[in-house]
């Protein structure tokens, strides 16, 4: 049989099942009911006054008294599915029909399956909200479907136990997302009923079986992952520019800066941008709060790594606001709002500060120094730093070199993490260099080529010496006096060594394909 014909035939059958599953039938019904649009709350759900009518339209019972539509799962799930599938859209304070609704009845099979998968992902992420990119919520759905796809598949109480066990084996973060609290109901029952509403499983409690649509859904969840959760208007990972307004809160009047930052920038990059925009010295700890997650430098015991999360990931699924705190002693709180997305301008170098207002306190001096400020900080020391857009952009204009300098500093900190005193620090550098550099390596010494075979320590001067050979002679020279080829690991690490010695070094070029020095797994006390 023609494989292409069989694929089309299977797709047609699966698309018909997807279109007729309860979740999408109710989703399309809600979207049609919107008519010219309905007002929504600040949390993008129906107003309480519209809940009874929406329940009648769907034929589902709703409590007489509800705080919000989100408290009624039989109503909120199809609403979330409709948003995920593009059948309805939220524009400012109104819900309106989405672009997918008009052609929903005759949509192509692949399009129906794509929107079904997006709706399923959206409801999973809403039900098991992990306050991140939704990956853990999708893992919950995948684990349940994977167990049901096994031969033989567990049934009854055995299935619920198997799902629970698979979640526990997935780690604490996954278990915490799974076990968010559903009253007297077990989370495994909730995920199975959710999958049943999408036609991914058939039968009833105790006798669940995976359907052909569920097997296709498992493939889609596995191959596409969090891509399914990308909301219309979310910043694109490549090419998109986020306009952010960063406000130093808890001050009156509150200073603020407006910056344009690539969506591909990490939260670690944003930390460096904030340091420049508010004239901080980066001498203290910091953390971002995204939903209920806290991001920072994991070297300092932060739960999530700021370098592994981009602005595109942070501001997906409709999120528009996060927070940042710098210096856990003075607690400088910053509110960060995504105002809009802009098209990149080839004539502009990003990141860039486009507006701002208000002076900011000088670090470690503060506005509360009071009458003793002159004695404590020095009477000639200013207490405030004025907003200077030109100076901010001059520093941001050196962005790439600043990123490299930050990485170099991180590598030096990693090398010296356990060292106490100059002798141990010298040994730590030698150990790190010998581990990362594949000796022998070529170098230049006073303009002449040499080969560096290894390193040794000079206990008298507390400096590293390099064993070199070239021009028929063997020499022991200062490691700091060598010149290595730019872009190599040895040149990078020598720059770190020179920075440690407070000596000048040439332009930094981060080695391609090298991930930097591994940091030890340390738990540091917060300041």
């Amino acid at each position: 049989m023609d494989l292409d014909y069989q694929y089309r035939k299977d797709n047609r059958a699966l698309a018909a099942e997807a279109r007729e599953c309860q979740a999408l039938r109710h989703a399309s019904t809600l979207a049609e009911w919107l008519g010219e649009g309905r007002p929504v709350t600040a949390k993008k759900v129906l107003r309480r006054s519209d809940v009874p009518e929406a329940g009648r339209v769907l034929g589902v019972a709703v409590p007489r008294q509800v705080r919000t539509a989100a408290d009624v799962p039989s109503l909120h799930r199809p609403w979330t599915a409709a948003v995920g599938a593009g059948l309805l859209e939220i524009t400012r304070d109104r819900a309106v029909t989405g672009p997918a609704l008009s052609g929903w009845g005759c949509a192509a099979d692949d399009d129906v399956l794509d929107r079904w998968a997006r709706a399923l992902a959206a409801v999973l992420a809403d039900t098991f909200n992990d306050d991140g990119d939704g990956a853990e919520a999708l893992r919950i759905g995948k684990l349940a479907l994977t167990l049901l796809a096994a031969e033989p598949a567990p049934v009854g109480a055995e299935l619920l136990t198997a799902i629970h066990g698979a979640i526990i084996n997935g780690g604490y973060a996954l278990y915490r997302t799974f076990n968010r609290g559903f009253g007297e109901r077990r989370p495994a029952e909730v995920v199975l009923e959710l999958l049943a509403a999408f036609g991914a499983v058939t039968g009833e409690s105790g006798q669940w079986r995976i359907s052909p649509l569920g097997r296709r859904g498992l493939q889609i969840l596995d191959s596409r992952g969090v891509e399914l959760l990308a909301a219309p208007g979310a910043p694109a990972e490549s090419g998109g520019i986020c306009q952010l307004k960063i406000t130093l809160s808890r001050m009156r009047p509150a200073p603020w800066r407006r910056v344009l930052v690539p969506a591909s920038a990490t939260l670690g990059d944003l930390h460096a941008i904030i340091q420049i925009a508010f004239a901080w010295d980066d001498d203290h700890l910091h953390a971002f709060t995204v939903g209920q997650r806290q991001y920072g430098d994991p070297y300092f015991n932060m739960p999530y790594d700021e370098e592994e999360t981009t602005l595109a990931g942070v501001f997906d699924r409709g999120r528009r606001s996060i927070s940042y705190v710098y210096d856990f002693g003075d607690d400088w709180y910053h509110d960060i709002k995504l105002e809009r997305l802009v098209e990149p301008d080839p004539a502009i170098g990003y990141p860039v500060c486009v507006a701002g207002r208000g002076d900011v306190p000088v670090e470690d001096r503060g506005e509360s120094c009071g009458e003793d400020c002159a004695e404590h900080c020095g009477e000639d020391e200013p207490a405030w730093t004025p907003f200077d857009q030109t100076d901010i952009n001059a520093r941001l204009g050196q962005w790439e070199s600043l990123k490299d300098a930050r990485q170099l500093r991180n590598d030096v900190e990693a090398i010296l993490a356990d060292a106490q005193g100059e002798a141990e620090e010298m040994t730590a550098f030698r150990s790190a260099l010998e581990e990362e550099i594949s000796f022998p390596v070529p170098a230049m010494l006073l303009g002449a080529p040499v080969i560096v075979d290894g390193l040794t320590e000079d206990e008298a001067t507390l400096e590293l010496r390099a064993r070199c050979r070239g021009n028929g002679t063997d020499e022991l020279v200062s490691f700091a006096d060598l010149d290595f080829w730019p872009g190599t690991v040895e040149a990078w690490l020598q720059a770190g060594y020179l920075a440690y010695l407070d000596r000048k070094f040439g332009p930094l070029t981060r080695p391609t394909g090298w991930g930097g020095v591994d940091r030890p797994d340390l738990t540091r006390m917060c300041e």
Side-chain angles (χ1 to χ4, degrees):
M1 180 182 293
D2 185 345
L3 293 179
D4 186 56
Y5 170 78
Q6 185 63 47
Y7 175 81
R8 293 197 305 271
K9 182 179 178 181
D10 291 344
N11 258 22
R12 187 173 301 113
L14 292 176
E17 291 180 27
R19 190 183 275 111
E20 291 303 316
C21 74
Q22 181 193 71
L24 287 194
R25 282 192 290 106
H26 283 186
S28 59
T29 299
L30 272 179
E32 291 170 352
W33 168 73
L34 287 176
E36 296 182 356
R38 300 267 178 165
V40 295
T41 68
K43 293 189 175 180
K44 313 302 182 185
V45 298
L46 285 172
R47 297 183 309 177
R48 184 168 54 184
S49 58
D50 286 328
V51 169
E53 184 180 350
R56 285 193 297 271
V57 168
L58 294 183
V60 299
V62 298
R64 297 184 62 181
Q65 297 292 330
V66 296
R67 294 178 304 167
T68 169
D71 292 335
V72 186
S74 58
L75 182 60
H76 185 60
R77 284 184 183 171
W79 178 270
T80 303
V83 174
L87 297 170
L88 72 81
E89 288 184 341
I90 310 295
T91 59
R92 295 188 179 179
D93 58 351
R94 291 184 68 79
V96 298
T97 57
L101 184 64
S102 60
W104 181 240
C106 58
D109 296 335
D110 284 339
D111 187 43
V112 171
L113 290 172
D114 173 73
R115 294 186 182 279
W116 174 85
R118 290 180 179 276
L120 172 59
V123 174
L124 279 169
D126 182 76
T127 304
F128 299 97
N129 187 358
D130 62 11
D131 288 312
D133 60 4
E136 290 168 1
L138 300 192
R139 281 183 67 195
I140 292 170
K142 285 168 54 180
L143 283 171
L145 289 172
T146 300
L147 288 168
L148 285 165
E151 293 291 346
V155 296
E158 183 184 350
L159 174 60
L160 300 180
T161 301
I163 293 174
H164 191 81
I167 296 297
I168 291 177
N169 290 336
Y172 174 71
L174 183 65
Y175 178 75
R176 184 178 58 184
T177 299
F178 180 67
N179 197 34
R180 294 186 70 86
F182 296 97
E184 297 181 357
R185 307 194 62 207
R186 298 176 66 177
E189 294 175 338
V190 173
V191 70
L192 289 169
E193 291 180 8
L194 185 160
L195 294 171
F198 279 88
V201 301
T202 59
E204 56 186 17
S205 181
Q207 298 298 322
W208 298 116
R209 292 289 186 271
I210 190 169
S211 69
L213 185 58
R215 293 182 185 276
R216 176 63 66 86
L218 179 57
Q219 294 173 354
I220 296 174
L221 288 173
D222 190 52
S223 63
R224 297 175 62 185
V226 294
E227 171 201 331
L228 295 166
L229 293 169
E237 182 74 28
S238 61
I241 302 296
C242 299
Q243 179 175 302
L244 304 177
K245 183 178 182 181
I246 306 171
T247 304
L248 184 57
S249 57
R250 305 188 183 185
M251 294 184 63
R252 294 293 180 271
W256 58 269
R257 309 289 185 256
R258 180 171 288 121
V259 294
L260 301 180
V261 185
S264 59
T266 67
L267 285 180
D269 294 333
L270 183 57
H271 157 69
I273 292 169
I274 294 172
Q275 291 291 308
I276 292 172
F278 287 86
W280 301 129
D281 293 332
D282 202 8
D283 288 335
H284 303 280
L285 299 183
H286 67 277
F288 290 91
T289 300
V290 181
Q292 296 184 19
R293 287 188 172 191
Q294 193 171 65
Y295 292 84
D297 188 340
Y299 181 58
F300 294 105
N301 203 30
M302 290 297 168
Y304 294 93
D305 190 347
E306 64 187 10
E307 296 295 352
E308 295 182 357
T309 305
T310 65
L311 297 186
V314 165
F315 290 114
D316 68 352
R317 297 168 56 196
R319 180 177 282 115
R320 287 295 181 268
S321 180
I322 62 176
S323 64
Y324 167 87
V325 61
Y326 171 63
D327 187 344
F328 295 165
D330 286 336
D331 291 334
W332 300 112
Y333 286 93
H334 305 67
D335 293 327
I336 304 168
K337 292 186 178 180
L338 174 64
E339 294 184 315
R340 65 188 183 110
L341 302 174
V342 300
E343 290 294 323
D345 184 341
I348 296 177
Y350 300 101
V352 62
C353 177
V354 295
R357 181 180 299 171
D359 299 348
V360 296
V362 170
E363 188 169 327
D364 293 329
R365 175 173 177 129
E367 60 179 345
S368 60
C369 276
E371 296 179 353
D372 296 330
C373 184
E375 180 180 347
H376 180 266
C377 302
E379 58 183 10
D380 294 330
E381 294 287 338
W384 299 86
T385 300
F387 171 59
D388 187 336
Q389 185 175 350
T390 301
D391 179 67
I392 291 173
N393 282 328
R395 297 180 65 194
L396 291 177
Q398 304 170 12
W399 178 242
E400 290 302 323
S401 61
L402 289 172
K403 287 179 64 176
D404 287 343
R406 182 157 58 97
Q407 180 61 52
L408 186 70
R409 186 179 66 179
N410 289 342
D411 286 338
V412 172
E413 288 178 352
I415 291 170
L416 300 177
D418 293 324
Q420 299 291 330
E422 290 184 74
E424 288 189 13
E425 289 172 351
M426 178 180 61
T427 299
F429 260 106
R430 181 176 61 83
S431 298
L433 290 164
E434 289 179 339
E435 181 176 343
E436 298 292 342
I437 298 175
S438 298
F439 293 105
V441 295
M444 299 291 290
L445 178 64
L446 301 176
V450 294
I451 299 297
V452 182
D453 288 321
L455 300 172
T456 187
E457 300 176 25
D458 188 330
E459 295 181 359
T461 62
L462 295 177
E463 289 189 83
L464 294 179
R465 300 289 177 182
R467 293 189 296 272
C468 299
R469 54 187 167 86
N471 298 323
T473 61
D474 294 333
E475 285 189 89
L476 197 62
V477 303
S478 171
F479 178 67
D481 291 340
L482 295 169
D483 292 310
F484 293 97
W485 190 261
T488 60
V489 174
E490 47 270 24
W492 177 268
L493 291 177
Q494 187 201 39
Y497 177 67
L498 291 172
Y500 161 73
L501 296 176
D502 290 327
R503 298 185 188 178
K504 294 182 179 180
F505 51 88
L508 285 173
T509 304
R510 196 182 308 192
T512 303
W514 184 65
V517 178
D518 290 334
R519 290 187 167 194
D521 185 13
L522 297 177
T523 300
R524 295 286 186 90
M525 295 295 292
C526 293
E527 301 170 352

